[in-house]
């Protein structure tokens, strides 16, 4: 067995279940790598999962509420976007290490199943960007966690990637998404999934695409915040 992040061997005793099952999970972190990633603490912003000393709405979300008072953001993040996560994201997204998609699959699958939604929708990449990278990192996270999803959103062409924008540019960016297809009339809940929540602009843009379906409840989730 090896660490799903650093690929170093993990030496430990197997459980009885692991002895009995012919297939063993590769999504396991060694102790050194476990220390690199910090989960979102109990005290966090109830709207965006930002880590803080209280459970009150953070200043960023208060600012968004002044702009979009009708928004009821219900965002869940699993990990803090610390240095360890930044380095992991860089390897996964920009260095093409697609095998890292399974690193957090256990936690991601549990979190998504807990949401009990009808449809899971990943944040899309522009086709040109996806072709250059070879994959959409959010789709790969969902595949590794064995989570079915629907491509309800598409990204407008000629929109520069978030990673190339400053914080101010991200906050002021125009709508980069549009609905790619009609939504099943039986759907009552949709979960939008992305890799990182930074300013909230991407999540809000994606959420607003579904405002023409007022009866559908929209929640959002990212691996990191």
């Amino acid at each position: 067995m090896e660490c799903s992040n650093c690929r170093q061997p993990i030496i430990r005793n197997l459980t009885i279940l692991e002895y009995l099952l012919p297939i063993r999970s590769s999504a396991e972190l060694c102790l050194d790598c476990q220390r690199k990633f910090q989960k979102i603490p109990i005290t966090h912003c109830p709207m965006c999962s930002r880590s803080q000393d209280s459970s009150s709405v953070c200043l960023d979300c208060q600012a968004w509420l002044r702009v979009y008072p009708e928004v009821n953001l219900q965002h869940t993040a699993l990990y803090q976007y610390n240095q360890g996560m930044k380095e992991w994201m860089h390897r996964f997204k920009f260095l093409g290490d697609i095998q890292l998609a399974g690193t957090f699959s256990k936690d991601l699958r549990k979190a998504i199943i807990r949401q009990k939604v009808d449809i899971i929708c990943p944040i899309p990449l522009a086709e040109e960007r996806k072709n250059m990278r070879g994959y959409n990192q959010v789709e790969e996270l969902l595949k590794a966690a064995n989570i079915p999803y629907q491509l309800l959103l598409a990204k407008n062409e000629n929109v520069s990637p978030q990673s190339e924008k400053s914080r101010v540019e991200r906050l002021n960016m125009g709508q980069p998404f549009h609905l790619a297809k009609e939504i099943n009339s039986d759907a009552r809940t949709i979960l939008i999934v992305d890799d990182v929540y930074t300013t909230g602009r991407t999540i809000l843009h994606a959420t607003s695409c579904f405002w023409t379906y007022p009866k559908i409840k929209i929640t959002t989730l990212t691996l990191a915040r």
Side-chain angles (χ1 to χ4, degrees):
M1 184 177 298
E2 64 179 20
C3 176
S4 58
N5 181 49
C6 70
R7 307 301 178 193
Q8 295 299 310
I10 295 177
I11 301 175
R12 65 167 176 78
N13 294 326
L14 297 178
T15 65
I16 294 176
L17 186 61
E18 287 173 325
Y19 272 119
L20 296 176
L21 292 177
I23 300 176
R24 295 174 183 139
S25 172
S26 60
E28 184 165 345
L29 293 170
C30 67
L31 291 177
D32 286 340
C33 285
Q34 287 179 34
R35 297 186 186 101
K36 294 180 181 179
F37 305 107
Q38 295 175 301
K39 292 188 176 182
I40 297 294
I42 295 176
T43 52
H44 58 263
C45 173
M47 290 185 65
C48 72
S49 288
R50 180 177 185 172
S51 302
Q52 55 185 20
D53 295 331
S54 70
S55 297
S56 58
V57 176
C58 71
L59 295 177
D60 284 353
C61 286
Q62 290 179 38
W64 282 127
L65 285 172
R66 287 192 290 271
V67 180
Y68 300 108
E70 71 279 15
V71 170
N72 180 24
L73 186 62
Q74 298 182 45
H75 181 75
T76 299
L78 307 187
Y79 288 86
Q80 297 182 52
Y81 194 51
N82 62 3
Q83 187 59 37
M85 183 59 75
K86 290 178 183 178
E87 293 173 358
W88 182 90
M89 283 285 181
H90 180 71
R91 290 165 55 204
F92 178 46
K93 292 175 64 172
F94 304 113
L95 298 184
D97 194 347
I98 196 171
Q99 294 185 37
L100 291 175
T103 303
F104 306 102
S105 59
K106 288 182 180 179
D107 285 344
L108 185 62
R109 180 172 175 79
K110 287 179 181 178
I112 292 177
I113 290 177
R114 198 179 299 126
Q115 295 274 345
K116 298 180 180 179
V117 296
D118 297 320
I119 299 175
I120 292 95
C121 171
I123 291 288
L125 286 179
E127 283 303 312
E128 182 180 1
R129 187 72 173 180
K130 185 175 181 179
N131 292 335
M132 289 177 58
R133 184 174 296 170
Y135 56 92
N136 177 334
Q137 71 276 3
V138 184
E139 291 182 44
E140 295 304 319
L141 290 173
L142 294 172
K143 290 176 186 176
N146 196 26
I147 296 293
Y149 59 86
Q150 295 185 32
L151 301 177
L152 299 180
L153 296 173
K155 192 166 187 179
N156 303 327
E157 297 299 327
N158 302 318
V159 176
S160 59
Q162 286 277 71
S163 59
E164 297 177 3
K165 298 179 184 293
S166 67
R167 179 178 176 83
V168 174
E169 288 173 330
R170 293 183 187 191
L171 290 171
N172 294 326
M173 66 182 286
Q175 172 62 275
F177 307 118
H178 63 271
L179 284 177
K181 64 178 182 179
E182 293 295 319
I183 300 173
N184 187 318
S185 59
D186 295 329
R188 292 291 176 267
T189 52
I190 294 175
L191 175 67
I192 300 172
V193 181
D194 201 3
D195 52 1
V196 181
Y197 183 115
T198 307
T199 63
R201 180 80 271 185
T202 297
I203 287 295
L204 285 168
H205 272 317
T207 299
S208 68
C209 289
F210 299 99
W211 287 353
T212 53
Y213 295 87
K215 293 183 179 180
I216 296 180
K217 178 182 178 181
I218 306 297
T219 55
T220 60
L221 181 145
T222 56
L223 180 62
R225 167 68 170 101

